[in-house]
Amino acid sequence: MAGCQEPPSASLERAKKALEHASNMGAIKYAETTYRSAEQLVQQGWMEMARQKGRLGPFRNFKPADSILNLAFETANRATEEASTYVRNSEALIQAERTTLKSELSEWKEGLNGALSRNKVEHYWNAAELAYRTSEILLNNREFDEARKMVAEGKESLKKMAEMITAYDNDDSSKIHIWRRWVAETVESSRASGRYAIIVDKSKHRTYLIKGGKLIHTYDSEFGYNPAHQKMFSGDGATPEGKYYITEEKGYGRSKYYKALLINYPNASDKVRFEENKRKGYISKRARIGGLIEIHGEGGKGRDWTEGCVALTNKDMDHLMKYVGVGTPVTIVRRSDRWP
């Protein structure tokens, strides 16, 4: 620096540039306390320099101003370093969290395969993936807090998805004995009477025609767009699970879907369950139980698409209707691990 009689203009300029650099490096946001201190020191150094300029030449002493401005320069550099460290650490942390989220997304996708839709949890996985992609944009914009929040939201979505899958698996395990019993009763009744009966297995996408307790024919089948759950109310897209019988045959021209066999949904058990679900608040008090569940034609689309009916190809409907009619038992289970 120049001697004590020369204004420390170079020191002032250097401190200002250091402060500007700190600002450009994000110090105002990520090292605000240190940045504000440097900013204040620059102001103090400049004021002290101005004060000394106002004095008579022999009495001027710019050394205190020069010291303050040097301290401002060092403080501004420290603010830059603090901001850089914060950014570096934040980027590493968020990248690690994003890597974990990406790995979890892939594992769930591969592990569940088509079951994401089956378990009604696809929207949670999609929300997590959207959060992952959004976090990248926020990270690139140095919105670190928002990026971390987005990653956390993605993980929370996967957590909810896992909880729903666990609940579904528990429900599945608790009811398998009921489905086994329904199938066994249907087979035994057919064997005892020597008559036809129909068993529908939603998990296998099969409809079985039996007679005298023996398998006669198997039909590929499609169900409601929400096939993996018991029907709760009208419009839920689920195919009901229970023991029913055919109440009406609809030949060509009498059904919207080629030909159809109407079953007695809702039966007494369905009505009891529907009212109980309403009472417990599982479904809306304004929900309706619905009806018009059929085995009908127009199937063969390769996906579950009905409102809750069982869809076969038209050719299979022609075949099935040769053997069954009003009164034929129809047992629908979510899955059957023993028969056929």
Side-chain angles (χ1 to χ4, degrees):
M1 142 63 191
C4 295
Q5 303 306 314
E6 295 295 330
S9 299
S11 295
L12 175 62
E13 188 64 25
R14 187 176 69 156
K16 284 182 176 179
K17 288 185 177 179
L19 195 63
E20 182 181 0
H21 181 62
S23 175
N24 292 337
M25 294 300 290
I28 295 177
K29 187 172 184 179
Y30 307 123
E32 184 178 6
T33 301
T34 305
Y35 177 86
R36 295 303 179 194
S37 294
E39 190 177 50
Q40 188 175 21
L41 287 168
V42 170
Q43 183 68 15
Q44 288 177 355
W46 175 79
M47 290 182 67
E48 176 61 20
M49 191 171 72
R51 192 174 72 84
Q52 292 299 328
K53 283 182 178 178
R55 303 179 70 181
L56 294 175
F59 300 101
R60 290 175 179 172
N61 182 3
F62 290 105
K63 189 173 182 179
D66 185 59
S67 297
I68 293 172
L69 291 171
N70 283 334
L71 181 59
F73 172 76
E74 294 171 0
T75 305
N77 285 342
R78 192 166 70 249
T80 297
E81 182 57 32
E82 286 179 13
S84 298
T85 300
Y86 179 90
V87 169
R88 194 163 53 247
N89 292 341
S90 295
E91 286 179 338
L93 176 63
I94 296 169
Q95 285 291 15
E97 291 176 342
R98 291 186 71 250
T99 298
T100 300
L101 177 58
K102 183 179 181 181
S103 177
E104 290 177 0
L105 281 165
S106 298
E107 289 175 5
W108 278 113
K109 185 77 171 180
E110 294 173 3
L112 289 172
N113 200 1
L116 278 173
S117 176
R118 185 198 71 187
N119 288 290
K120 295 174 63 176
V121 295
E122 196 169 17
H123 63 288
Y124 283 115
W125 191 92
N126 290 336
E129 186 189 39
L130 178 61
Y132 171 77
R133 287 190 274 109
T134 303
S135 70
E136 182 176 18
I137 297 172
L138 292 169
L139 182 60
N140 290 337
N141 291 333
R142 293 196 168 190
E143 299 289 343
F144 300 117
D145 291 342
E146 291 303 316
R148 288 199 71 188
K149 181 180 177 182
M150 194 56 60
V151 172
E153 288 182 7
K155 290 186 174 181
E156 183 63 22
S157 291
L158 291 182
K159 180 182 176 183
K160 289 179 180 176
M161 184 184 72
E163 290 173 350
M164 288 193 68
I165 290 173
T166 299
Y168 178 83
D169 290 343
N170 290 340
D171 180 65
D172 207 48
S173 299
S174 69
K175 292 177 179 174
I176 184 63
H177 70 284
I178 297 175
W179 303 326
R180 287 171 181 161
R181 176 167 56 80
W182 288 350
V183 170
E185 290 173 350
T186 304
V187 172
E188 177 55 27
S189 176
S190 172
R191 188 197 63 76
S193 67
R195 299 178 63 180
Y196 287 100
I198 296 171
I199 297 174
V200 178
D201 187 326
K202 297 200 296 183
S203 68
K204 293 179 180 174
H205 283 84
R206 296 284 189 277
T207 294
Y208 303 101
L209 174 65
I210 65 174
K211 182 182 182 184
K214 295 182 179 179
L215 179 63
I216 301 300
H217 199 83
T218 302
Y219 309 95
D220 290 338
S221 306
E222 294 157 0
F223 304 108
Y225 54 82
N226 180 20
H229 297 265
Q230 170 64 288
K231 191 166 189 63
M232 301 277 279
F233 55 90
S234 176
D236 64 359
T239 299
E241 299 160 4
K243 296 180 69 175
Y244 306 97
Y245 60 85
I246 295 172
T247 59
E248 184 179 352
E249 294 181 67
K250 298 180 180 179
Y252 184 74
R254 293 189 56 218
S255 170
K256 181 179 178 182
Y257 302 105
Y258 185 60
K259 297 177 182 178
L261 298 166
L262 181 67
I263 66 174
N264 66 319
Y265 174 86
N267 61 20
S269 297
D270 294 323
K271 292 174 182 175
V272 169
R273 183 176 57 256
F274 177 73
E275 293 301 329
E276 186 176 353
N277 286 336
K278 266 191 174 181
R279 181 175 55 79
K280 291 181 178 178
Y282 294 161
I283 59 177
S284 169
K285 293 181 178 179
R286 291 177 294 182
R288 295 179 296 107
I289 193 168
L292 290 175
I293 299 299
E294 301 173 332
I295 301 173
H296 60 59
E298 303 295 346
K301 300 181 187 297
R303 57 183 172 82
D304 293 315
W305 56 276
T306 76
E307 294 295 326
C309 294
V310 179
L312 310 182
T313 66
N314 293 347
K315 181 180 179 181
D316 284 343
M317 277 305 297
D318 287 335
H319 185 273
L320 179 64
M321 292 181 74
K322 290 179 182 177
Y323 303 101
V324 301
V326 173
T328 299
V330 178
T331 297
I332 305 175
V333 295
R334 193 178 305 171
R335 66 184 175 93
S336 172
D337 56 355
R338 290 187 179 176
W339 192 95

